[in-house]
């Protein structure tokens, strides 16, 4: 008999700022809502190991969605008439719109890289709508990452973005997992990775948000791989110092994509972070 993974995928639509978004989401488990945010230029396939981890899904109802323009989510109508550019404002609105459209009551947000950055703003803006946030490879400011070569007519964008991000994996992570992440990145739409990096490197500056985060109302956990040279452990440690009560750990022998490149190595840190952000939650 064929053994199916316990992941259910569905599409839903919602309206935001006069546009209609058709979103793909995968889910598994039951309990506290856990909403996962993928990295720049990728999609929710990065969370497949987490979605099939019974120790997580027996306590958490896990959701992982593809942002518009990413993976299996469509861009809004008329996308061909403009250049894709993610901004802090639009990113906050989309994530907030998704958890409200899904009817998630006080979810935990887990985001990596640009997703790890935006959860800091969301924790500052919506502390009473959230249980907590987990920032993987989370920085408050990451200038210098943007390049016009990330979307150039003379360059194969899929291979460039995939190979560029491949170098952010730890050399200790299993080769098949690093290559799987490469494959996901190679399938990004033209200009999507560059449009995300516009947010992450040009538009994003969350340093003033950190003082507004109240960990008595919204718990914060921060995890960064010791081999991440895009968001270094020191960058995340600076965030932790600015957010009293934040839980911070450096993940040994791990790079920029912990949930994808080395889930077994990431898992103990993840379980600790989940315990931290839900320790005061009564269900």
């Amino acid at each position: 008999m064929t053994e199916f993974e316990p992941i259910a995928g569905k599409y839903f639509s919602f309206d935001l700022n006069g546009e209609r978004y058709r979103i793909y989401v995968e889910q598994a488990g039951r309990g506290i809502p856990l909403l996962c945010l993928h990295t720049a230029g990728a999609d929710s396939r990065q969370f497949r190991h987490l979605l099939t981890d019974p120790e997580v899904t027996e306590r958490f109802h896990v959701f992982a969605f593809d942002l518009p323009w990413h993976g299996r989510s469509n861009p809004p109508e008329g996308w061909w008439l403009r250049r894709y550019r993610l901004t802090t404002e639009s990113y906050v609105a989309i994530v907030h719109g998704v958890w409200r459209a899904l009817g998630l009551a006080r979810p935990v947000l887990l985001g990596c890289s640009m997703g790890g950055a935006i959860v800091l703003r969301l924790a500052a803006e919506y502390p009473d709508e959230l249980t907590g946030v987990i920032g993987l490879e989370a920085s408050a400011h990451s200038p210098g990452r943007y390049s016009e070569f990330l979307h150039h007519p003379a360059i194969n964008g899929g291979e460039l973005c995939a190979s560029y991000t491949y170098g952010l994996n730890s050399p200790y992570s299993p080769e098949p997992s690093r290559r799987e992440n490469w494959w996901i990145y190679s399938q990004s739409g033209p200009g999507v990775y560059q449009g995300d990096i516009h947010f992450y490197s040009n538009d994003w500056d969350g340093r003033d948000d950190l003082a507004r985060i109240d960990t008595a109302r919204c718990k914060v956990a921060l995890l960064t791989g010791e081999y991440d040279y895009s968001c270094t452990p020191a960058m995340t440690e600076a965030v932790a110092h600015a957010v009293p009560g934040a839980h911070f750990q450096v993940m040994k022998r791990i790079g920029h994509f912990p949930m994808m490149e080395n889930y077994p190595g990431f898992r103990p840190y993840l379980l600790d972070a989940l315990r931290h952000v839900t320790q005061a939650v009564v269900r």
Side-chain angles (χ1 to χ4, degrees):
M1 294 291 292
T2 300
E3 184 176 345
F4 290 97
E5 294 180 356
I7 301 174
K10 292 185 178 182
Y11 288 90
F12 70 96
S13 296
F14 74 102
D15 295 312
L16 180 67
N17 297 329
E19 294 190 305
R20 185 78 168 166
Y21 291 92
R22 182 173 183 259
I23 302 295
Y24 178 80
V25 62
E26 293 185 332
Q27 59 180 302
R30 60 185 179 181
I32 300 169
L34 174 62
L35 184 63
C36 301
L37 312 180
H38 59 74
T39 63
D43 60 58
S44 62
R45 285 178 290 175
Q46 291 180 318
F47 293 99
R48 72 176 184 88
H49 301 293
L50 194 156
L51 284 157
T52 56
D53 185 337
E55 193 167 349
V56 175
T57 57
E58 69 184 8
R59 189 178 174 216
F60 293 90
H61 192 173
V62 184
F63 297 84
F65 74 100
D66 298 346
L67 280 168
W69 281 272
H70 297 70
R72 294 142 293 185
S73 291
N74 288 2
E77 188 173 317
W79 60 268
W80 56 91
L81 300 175
R82 57 177 150 161
R83 194 177 189 185
Y84 170 68
R85 285 288 181 267
L86 187 67
T87 66
T88 303
E89 181 181 3
S90 64
Y91 200 1
V92 165
I94 290 168
V95 177
H96 186 236
V98 164
W99 91 60
R100 290 176 65 87
L102 291 173
L104 306 186
R106 297 200 67 208
V108 173
L109 302 184
L110 185 154
C112 185
S113 188
M114 74 170 191
I118 205 63
V119 301
L120 301 173
R121 172 65 64 86
L122 290 160
E125 291 288 337
Y126 302 106
D128 298 323
E129 291 188 37
L130 297 170
T131 290
V133 301
I134 301 174
L136 310 178
E137 324 305 320
S139 65
H141 193 224
S142 304
R145 309 298 194 272
Y146 183 85
S147 170
E148 289 296 335
F149 289 110
L150 296 174
H151 186 207
H152 192 284
I155 296 173
N156 184 310
E159 290 192 358
L160 172 65
C161 295
S163 298
Y164 180 75
T165 54
Y166 179 82
L168 294 173
N169 292 279
S170 165
Y172 292 103
S173 293
E175 183 73 8
S177 298
R178 288 185 279 158
R179 292 293 180 179
E180 184 177 356
N181 201 52
W182 187 100
W183 185 251
I184 291 171
Y185 262 97
S186 72
Q187 298 169 36
S188 178
V192 170
Y193 182 67
Q194 187 193 63
D196 286 344
I197 297 301
H198 168 76
F199 153 74
Y200 187 62
S201 191
N202 296 346
D203 188 70
W204 169 243
D205 189 344
R207 289 173 291 185
D208 290 341
D209 294 317
L210 303 182
R212 299 193 293 128
I213 296 175
D214 182 356
T215 56
R217 297 161 67 194
C218 178
K219 299 291 184 181
V220 175
L222 303 166
L223 306 174
T224 292
E226 70 171 334
Y227 279 85
D228 188 352
Y229 60 85
S230 176
C231 174
T232 65
M235 293 168 70
T236 305
E237 187 175 17
V239 174
H241 284 318
V243 181
H247 167 89
F248 169 61
Q249 283 187 290
V250 176
M251 297 180 286
K252 301 298 183 182
R253 298 167 70 95
I254 290 178
H256 192 69
F257 304 98
M259 68 287 181
M260 183 80 258
E261 67 177 81
N262 186 353
Y263 187 75
F266 165 59
R267 188 172 181 272
Y269 298 102
L270 170 66
L271 295 177
D272 280 348
L274 289 170
R275 281 190 287 269
H276 175 80
V277 298
T278 59
Q279 63 184 342
V281 176
V282 178
R283 298 288 177 180

